[in-house]
Amino acid sequence: MKNRQTFSILVWAYRGKQKENQATLYARITVNGKRAEISLSRKVDPALWDEDNCRVKGASAHADETNEFLDLAKGELRQTFLMLKATGETVTAEAIKNKYLGVEEHRKFLLEVFKEHNEHSKALVGTDLAQGTYKRYLVTYGKLQRFIKTRYKKSDVAVKDLGYEFISDFEFFLKTSDKIAHNTCLQYVKILKKISHLCVLKKWVVSDPFQGFKCIGDEVEREILNQEQLQTLMQKTFPSKRLEEVRDVFLFSCFTGYAYADVRKLTPDDIGTGLDGERWIFTSRTKTKTKSNIMLLPVALQLIEKYRDHPVCVTRGTLFPVKSNQKYNDYLKEIAALCGFKLELTTHIARHTFATTVTLSNDVPIETVSSMLGHKSLRTTQIYAKVVQAKVSKDMKQLRGKLFDPASQEVVPATKPGTAA
């Protein structure tokens, strides 16, 4: 059968450097071609040892006692093999040896390691770790726990059982059981990869379980506000202060590139004068801890000044009266509807708008944009460059439709033939 395991026991007498009439009995366990050797702590006379039958020759009391001991030892080893197999544990020659000798193999379990990782992460929230990242760790732990219970009918699995099959099965489980899209699914898989890497560093697993597994996401078209929509948002009058405040925070992100978490923590102390004499914000991104220093454009400066004496800002010591993430996103939906936007405004769209409509579309070099966004790699920023290229392509196609007859590709005259211009 395909999954059949081979198992054998060989007993032999090892003389070594001992006296000629003394040899130590050893048992060699072989499982699927892998060996482990055990000293049986019994001595025999080499002249009385039957190598072919692995027994002591003769009918003496010593021979009977030793042969009975060998039968019992081989029986226990075989029983250990069957027990490990029945309980679903990984069966190896070394595992049988340890079980027989009473040596408890110190094994690490995946959820046990993950839980410990999350406990350490919780202590870092607010300093080295964002609250949102910690929440994703907890969610991933819960999904992994359900997967193990569903797929393996166990409460946990040993980290040494983590491999390509386990990872691909977990990905499949997320997509089918939880109906999660590919890119979202990879976020959870990448967190599992982080735990896996920790196990490799701790030498709890011999090789990288993720070797050969590719975490490649699908390309996503990033939604942005174009120049016309941005102007509409800036000029719109809203029926309530709460919507106006959220609109202003969103606009500040559009003209600085800061994410929600970054704007929420900004204080007057983050503003300073640069070497060029201009007003700058000097800070680091919450997510990546990379520097994200921005020269403040006039719109951003006006918004900061607008909220200088706002009661919430004075109490908190912040630049803006930023709502909770949930309320912020809920109010953005109202704002989008009032502005007549077909797209759904989210906190990320403001950052995307800064990268495209505000900077790259206005010939700001991609290296400069990458620095302002706090990206660790230029490749991350190049995603936005593709958005700009798509916009250029769309605009040029519209222009072509105005200037040329789509069928003949001839220039369309500005006036009808025979009429005065």
Side-chain angles (χ1 to χ4, degrees), residues 346-365:
T346 66
T347 57
H348 299 297
I349 286 180
R351 184 167 166 82
H352 301 335
T353 299
F354 172 77
T356 53
T357 305
V358 175
T359 56
L360 289 172
S361 292
N362 289 298
D363 301 324
V364 177

Side-chain angles (χ1 to χ4, degrees), residues 3-287:
N3 296 323
R4 185 172 179 271
Q5 291 178 308
T6 60
F7 171 74
S8 64
I9 304 169
L10 173 68
V11 178
W12 83 99
Y14 176 68
R15 184 178 303 180
K17 296 180 181 179
Q18 300 179 38
K19 297 177 183 179
E20 286 191 10
N21 62 342
Q22 289 290 309
T24 304
L25 294 178
Y26 278 83
R28 176 184 295 156
I29 313 158
T30 306
V31 177
N32 296 334
K34 301 291 184 180
R35 299 174 175 178
E37 295 175 354
I38 304 172
S39 171
L40 298 176
S41 302
R42 286 288 179 119
K43 306 288 186 181
V44 296
D45 184 344
L48 298 177
W49 179 248
D50 184 348
E51 289 188 5
D52 294 331
N53 296 307
C54 301
R55 301 182 72 78
V56 180
K57 294 182 286 186
S60 65
H62 176 264
D64 290 342
E65 182 187 352
T66 304
N67 289 333
E68 184 180 354
F69 167 78
L70 292 176
D71 290 337
L72 288 171
K74 288 191 287 186
E76 283 185 41
L77 290 170
R78 189 171 287 104
Q79 189 64 32
T80 302
F81 166 74
L82 294 173
M83 182 185 69
L84 290 174
K85 195 174 179 181
T87 55
E89 297 185 54
T90 303
V91 184
T92 64
E94 196 65 29
I96 295 172
K97 172 183 174 179
N98 290 336
K99 205 79 171 176
Y100 176 80
L101 295 175
V103 177
E104 284 298 323
E105 187 181 7
H106 184 64
R107 296 196 299 166
K108 283 287 184 178
F109 289 86
L110 182 58
L111 291 177
E112 171 194 352
V113 173
F114 203 157
K115 185 176 182 180
E116 187 177 339
H117 164 271
N118 288 352
E119 289 171 354
H120 289 167
S121 298
K122 185 178 181 180
L124 298 174
V125 172
T127 54
D128 291 343
L129 192 73
Q131 180 69 31
T133 303
Y134 172 65
K135 284 183 178 179
R136 281 194 292 275
Y137 290 158
L138 294 180
V139 172
T140 306
Y141 177 90
K143 292 184 180 299
L144 196 59
Q145 191 176 41
R146 283 195 299 107
F147 165 67
I148 292 172
K149 186 176 181 179
T150 303
R151 174 70 174 79
Y152 296 94
K153 312 298 180 187
K154 295 180 179 179
S155 59
D156 207 344
V157 293
V159 295
K160 65 181 181 181
D161 293 333
L162 182 60
Y164 184 90
E165 184 179 357
F166 181 96
I167 299 162
S168 58
D169 284 352
F170 179 52
E171 180 188 22
F172 182 76
F173 173 82
L174 292 174
K175 290 179 177 179
T176 54
S177 177
D178 289 6
K179 309 298 181 185
I180 295 175
H182 179 70
N183 285 4
T184 305
C185 175
L186 286 187
Q187 293 179 12
Y188 298 117
V189 174
K190 286 178 180 178
I191 291 176
L192 173 60
K193 185 176 182 179
K194 184 177 187 294
I195 303 302
S196 168
H197 184 62
L198 175 65
C199 293
V200 173
L201 292 177
K202 295 279 190 178
K203 301 189 185 303
W204 294 330
V205 290
V206 178
S207 59
D208 181 10
F210 270 80
Q211 187 175 2
F213 187 90
K214 304 295 183 183
C215 293
I216 301 175
D218 295 332
E219 282 197 19
V220 177
E221 185 177 341
R222 296 175 183 269
E223 292 186 301
I224 60 170
L225 293 182
N226 58 34
Q227 189 62 46
E228 183 182 348
Q229 291 170 322
L230 196 54
Q231 286 294 327
T232 298
L233 186 62
M234 292 172 66
Q235 295 167 5
K236 184 70 176 178
T237 300
F238 293 97
S240 66
K241 280 291 182 183
R242 63 179 176 84
L243 293 180
E244 183 181 341
E245 289 173 0
V246 169
R247 184 274 309 272
D248 290 344
V249 172
F250 185 86
L251 278 177
F252 183 80
S253 292
C254 287
F255 285 94
T256 59
Y258 286 127
Y260 168 84
D262 299 319
V263 177
R264 186 178 176 86
K265 72 174 186 177
L266 288 176
T267 70
D269 292 338
D270 294 321
I271 301 177
T273 303
L275 296 175
D276 54 2
E278 300 286 347
R279 302 295 283 168
W280 285 65
I281 286 182
F282 299 96
T283 187
S284 297
R285 285 208 66 201
T286 301
K287 182 178 179 180

